[in-house]
Amino acid sequence: MAMIAPSRRVRRTPFSDGVEAEGVKAYTVYNHMLLPTAFENPQFDCRHLKTHVQVWDVSCERQVQIKGPDAAKLIQILTPRDISKLSPERCFYIPVTDQYGGMLNDPVLLQAGPDTYWISIADSDFLLWVLAVAGCNGFDVDVSEPDVSPLAVQGPKSDDLMARVFGEEVRALRFFGCRRFAFEGQNFMVSRSGYSKQGGFEIYVEGSEYGMPLWRALFAAGEDLEVQAGGPNLIERIESGLLSYGNDMTRDNSPMECGLGKYVQVSQLATCFGGRALQEELDAGIARMIRPIAIDGEIPACDRSWPIYAAGCVVGQVTSATWSPDFETNVAIGMVASSHWDAGTVVEVETQDGLHRAVVQASFWN
Ligand code: THG
């Protein structure tokens, strides 16, 4: 593939200088911003992530800040998940649906201060939706994209590296717990979260000028832990079943279809966007759902959806796929019709290079 043409429209991040110094090999664009995806190659990066600790420039997880007396009320109509237990100590993974129940985003929600919330978004122009909903309802809120850039520390040695930079108390954070921790006189929100299942943290760096100092501090403290730069890894995230908005789900899918039914609370359906449609779908039965799929043979890059066939009929589509060295199969994520979603069902997947035998799996590989 050719290079990405540099321009102001494809935004750099506070860590881009560090990313380039570490020899980034591939970028994607996410929320109109550079997202590094490879440093050596996906297989090497995956093994390193599972063994040591990596620092990821995930600035592209932009924050949509909602601030004001009506902020909580606004957020609760955006999602079918009950967020009444949200607190400054706990973040929430929330599906966000349009008025038809279609997925608009699958962000992480945090409370950053009194009447101040951050929606840490996946790849869709989410601020526009929030702005419109706030405007049309006359809510008393300010909607903005603050100068906040998440930096992720991921991998089995994350606790050790983080403790050296932020102090031992960081180890006490529980999964999806969050708290502010001091760095060079600043108090950054830190959560135990991130887009891998290897364990780790995300630091919400407030103020671009602190980006490179923190980047350098983490690399200096982690030398003997073999810290390296990394990024969301295709192999690891498919093995782990982490969904990618725009790939594995779009506005065409409901949260239930995405396997996010546990974040759809019936108590919210009378008031949230898409609640009626979601209720109707629950009543009728869910017609298709995300499934792990193992694909035989040698497959090309999954840069388009691949139809899934059974007895000559389309019964779904594969939306992410790659070779897994650890599981010695092609691991994939697909949307499969209820008639064919049982574990062990044999299907055919049509890539741009031809047909492959594939088997629906009981669970993801991690
Ligand atoms: N962290 C933060 N912001 C983000 C992401 C992130 N924004 C973009 C993107 N990732 C949003 N999508 C996801 C997808 C999965 C998860 C988080 C954000 C995730 N899921 C866990 C799982 O599926 O096991 C846990 C979910 C839960 O049980 O609460 O972590 O990664 N800041």
Side-chain angles (χ1 to χ4, degrees):
M1 272 237 262
M3 281 175 51
I4 291 174
S7 86
R8 181 182 185 209
R9 202 169 45 70
V10 180
R11 300 178 287 178
R12 292 173 61 80
T13 86
F15 316 108
S16 289
D17 291 343
V19 161
E20 285 161 7
E22 295 300 320
V24 62
K25 296 258 169 50
Y27 279 119
T28 187
V29 175
Y30 192 101
N31 286 323
H32 313 275
M33 189 172 255
L34 290 171
L35 169 58
T37 60
F39 283 85
E40 286 299 327
N41 58 67
Q43 298 198 3
F44 179 96
D45 294 347
C46 182
R47 175 99 328 267
H48 180 272
L49 168 64
K50 290 174 176 181
T51 314
H52 301 293
V53 55
Q54 295 184 345
V55 176
W56 296 4
D57 174 5
V58 285
S59 302
C60 67
E61 297 169 356
R62 301 312 293 163
Q63 308 307 300
V64 173
Q65 176 172 288
I66 308 177
K67 189 177 165 68
D70 293 335
K73 189 164 74 178
L74 166 57
I75 296 166
Q76 188 62 89
I77 69 169
L78 297 178
T79 178
R81 183 165 183 186
D82 178 359
I83 58 155
S84 58
K85 299 243 159 58
L86 187 72
S87 78
E89 290 85 44
R90 184 176 168 202
C91 41
F92 274 51
Y93 181 42
I94 56 167
V96 179
T97 43
D98 65 17
Q99 59 268 56
Y100 312 105
M103 289 290 294
L104 285 177
N105 208 290
D106 68 327
V108 174
L109 168 66
L110 303 78
Q111 184 171 354
D115 279 346
T116 306
Y117 299 88
W118 288 344
I119 301 184
S120 184
I121 61 170
D123 188 22
S124 77
D125 290 318
F126 194 64
L127 186 142
L128 304 177
W129 172 250
V130 180
L131 208 50
V133 170
C136 290
N137 287 284
F139 285 143
D140 185 2
V141 291
D142 178 67
V143 181
S144 64
E145 185 185 293
D147 179 12
V148 172
S149 296
L151 188 63
V153 174
Q154 300 284 301
K157 301 180 186 169
S158 298
D159 279 64
D160 294 333
L161 178 54
M162 287 294 287
R164 292 179 190 182
V165 174
F166 290 96
E168 289 295 317
E169 307 95 279
V170 81
R171 296 180 191 272
L173 275 180
R174 309 223 309 211
F175 187 59
F176 268 59
C178 51
R179 221 196 85 185
R180 288 187 179 267
F181 287 86
F183 175 78
E184 291 192 355
Q186 301 304 302
N187 269 321
F188 294 144
M189 189 67 92
V190 174
S191 60
R192 190 183 284 279
S193 59
Y195 202 62
S196 88
K197 289 257 172 112
Q198 304 310 309
F201 300 84
E202 292 177 299
I203 308 144
Y204 291 77
V205 180
E206 226 170 321
S208 292
E209 66 273 31
Y210 301 106
M212 281 312 298
L214 176 59
W215 178 277
R216 284 190 289 264
L218 286 164
F219 277 84
E223 216 168 310
D224 62 305
L225 302 174
E226 300 188 46
V227 64
Q228 287 197 4
N233 183 274
L234 181 67
I235 306 168
E236 199 277 340
R237 78 113 180 139
I238 297 176
E239 290 172 352
S240 299
L242 291 168
L243 302 183
S244 167
Y245 187 81
N247 286 317
D248 307 315
M249 57 182 147
T250 67
R251 209 158 70 77
D252 243 15
N253 303 114
S254 71
M256 288 82 77
E257 289 181 344
C258 301
L260 304 178
K262 61 185 172 220
Y263 307 123
V264 174
Q265 266 102 48
V266 174
S267 60
Q268 299 307 318
L269 296 185
T271 46
C272 75
F273 274 97
R276 181 192 297 264
L278 296 178
Q279 187 63 63
E280 282 171 8
E281 187 185 352
L282 287 169
D283 293 344
I286 297 151
R288 53 185 183 168
M289 212 181 284
I290 287 280
R291 280 290 182 270
I293 298 166
I295 307 176
D296 289 353
E298 251 185 67
I299 57 167
C302 188
D303 60 359
R304 63 202 77 183
S305 67
W306 293 339
I308 303 175
Y309 296 95
C313 297
V314 176
V315 297
Q317 57 176 353
V318 164
T319 48
S320 300
T322 191
W323 174 253
S324 162
D326 286 345
F327 298 98
E328 296 183 314
T329 183
N330 298 302
V331 291
I333 297 175
M335 192 65 76
V336 184
S338 60
S339 54
H340 289 79
W341 71 24
D342 286 345
T345 306
V346 178
V347 293
E348 273 189 310
V349 172
E350 185 176 30
T351 75
Q352 55 269 37
D353 292 354
L355 285 169
H356 292 255
R357 181 184 174 274
V359 182
V360 177
Q361 303 296 298
S363 59
F364 283 96
W365 288 266
N366 261 354

